[in-house]
Amino acid sequence: MVNGMNVISIDENNTNNNSTFSSFLKLKWRTSKGPKLSIRQRTPNTVDDIERDWVRHCALKLAFEGDFKAPIQKLLQAGGCEILDIGCGAGFWTSDMASQYPISYFTGIDIDKNSLPTSSLSKNVFYQRIDLIELPLPYEDATFDYIYIRSMMETLPDSMWDDILKDLIRVMKKGAYIECIEAYDNLFDAGPSMTVLNQLIKTSLQHPCAEHSANLNPWPNRIANMSQLKGMQIYHTHTPVGLYGGAIGSLLLEYWERSVKGFQREWITNKWIAEDELEQTIKSIRDEVDEYRTYMSWYSVIAQKKGYNGPVIHFDDVDDFGTVNRTTIC
């Protein structure tokens, strides 16, 4: 028993468990029909990109007080759930979840095969190189109980996301949840140095096939327009950037510093900023963010797929004082 819950270990040498997961993969994978489309060549993630994503993952886990906000914890603990992580990168979120919920199954997909983990400590997680623009996704209808998307909105042209969302809904089971986490475009209460750096980053992220983030249709608008989804909920959180903000602020300051490091050669080469000016600007941000109390804002939007007509599921937890806490999941 760990924290009042049964934990079933998945033994690497247990052929029954390996057979179960292999059967799951064979059942859920299908050959995609229709032509493949590739709109542009995307740059593979570097080691710096992966390390930066790890820092952001740690910060957001603290900011949202956990790995997710959807009401699925009891189902994950009960086991047998099938989870899809969109744009999993190096699999930080996927691996975290797989280790916490060892009797549910996790699939992480990403366009960059070089960033995907080559091995996993958990036997209930699987990684695939899949490009979201190649629709339909290679999964059967009604495959997943939960789909998780984080910081993906700017990775593809805005015009593609509605079709992608429709296909994600297709592979969701009735009653399944989808959760999308994004940062708001603005950096709030930024001083002059952070404003300059933020604008340079935005310039670097612009490319012929992508719209500026200010023109992106946010997840709540898209989800509200999907007739197959219901019960949309939105959670907001403000995250400090700077040492004044404790652990979260320190992590996000590191995230920004790593982001700047990844772009600075491009800025100098393109003469968007002089090298000595950039050096002074970078040096000043640590004190500046504390002085201005700079912060970011994030949201998590959750919705459920309509159509579940099965039994109402109740989970009862009894605390140390004998109080019964009931969770109802439809």
Side-chain angles (χ1 to χ4, degrees), residues 19 48 70 200 206 274 306:
S19 176
D48 286 339
L200 285 168
Q206 292 179 31
K306 296 178 181 178

Side-chain angles (χ1 to χ4, degrees), residues 56-66 150-151 181 239 298:
R56 181 181 60 187
H57 168 71
C58 294
L60 290 181
K61 186 170 184 175
L62 290 173
F64 282 102
E65 300 178 335
R150 183 172 70 189
S151 299
I181 296 177
T239 54
W298 303 77

Side-chain angles (χ1 to χ4, degrees), residues 182-321:
E182 291 288 339
Y184 288 97
D185 183 46
N186 293 330
L187 186 64
F188 298 93
D189 292 345
S193 294
M194 279 298 284
T195 299
V196 168
L197 295 173
N198 189 31
Q199 187 55 53
L200 285 168
I201 290 174
K202 289 180 179 180
T203 301
S204 289
L205 292 175
Q206 292 179 31
H207 50 76
C209 292
E211 297 87 345
H212 188 275
S213 56
N215 300 320
L216 296 176
N217 190 18
W219 285 117
N221 290 356
R222 295 183 187 279
I223 288 175
N225 288 327
M226 295 293 165
S227 61
Q228 292 175 278
L229 298 177
K230 67 175 184 177
M232 182 173 68
Q233 293 182 304
I234 305 174
Y235 296 86
H236 300 272
T237 185
H238 302 306
T239 54
V241 179
L243 301 181
Y244 81 93
I248 297 175
S250 298
L251 285 166
L252 285 177
L253 175 58
E254 182 181 349
Y255 172 76
W256 275 91
E257 289 175 334
R258 287 178 177 271
S259 297
V260 169
K261 178 183 176 182
F263 287 117
Q264 60 185 16
R265 180 50 51 192
E266 175 189 359
W267 299 342
I268 294 169
T269 300
N270 291 327
K271 298 182 179 180
W272 293 343
I273 187 171
E275 187 169 1
D276 57 345
E277 181 184 354
L278 177 59
E279 183 179 346
Q280 291 302 315
T281 302
I282 293 172
K283 284 182 178 179
S284 66
I285 63 173
R286 278 189 164 250
D287 292 333
E288 182 184 278
V289 291
D290 285 343
E291 177 185 353
Y292 283 80
R293 301 184 77 82
T294 303
Y295 67 95
M296 301 175 68
S297 287
W298 303 77
Y299 69 85
S300 169
V301 58
I302 302 161
Q304 186 180 27
K305 187 173 180 178
K306 296 178 181 178
Y308 178 75
N309 296 314
V312 176
I313 302 172
H314 297 292
F315 293 95
D316 290 339
D317 285 333
V318 181
D319 63 21
D320 294 339
F321 303 99

Side-chain angles (χ1 to χ4, degrees), residues 88-105:
C88 66
F92 300 128
W93 183 89
T94 329
S95 297
D96 264 7
M97 292 287 288
S99 63
Q100 292 178 63
Y101 303 102
I103 54 175
S104 286
Y105 299 119

Side-chain angles (χ1 to χ4, degrees), residues 29 108-113 116 127-131 134:
W29 180 264
I109 65 172
D110 200 277
I111 179 64
D112 184 8
K113 65 180 181 180
L116 293 172
Y127 296 102
Q128 294 174 295
R129 189 272 180 194
I130 291 178
D131 193 340
E134 297 177 356

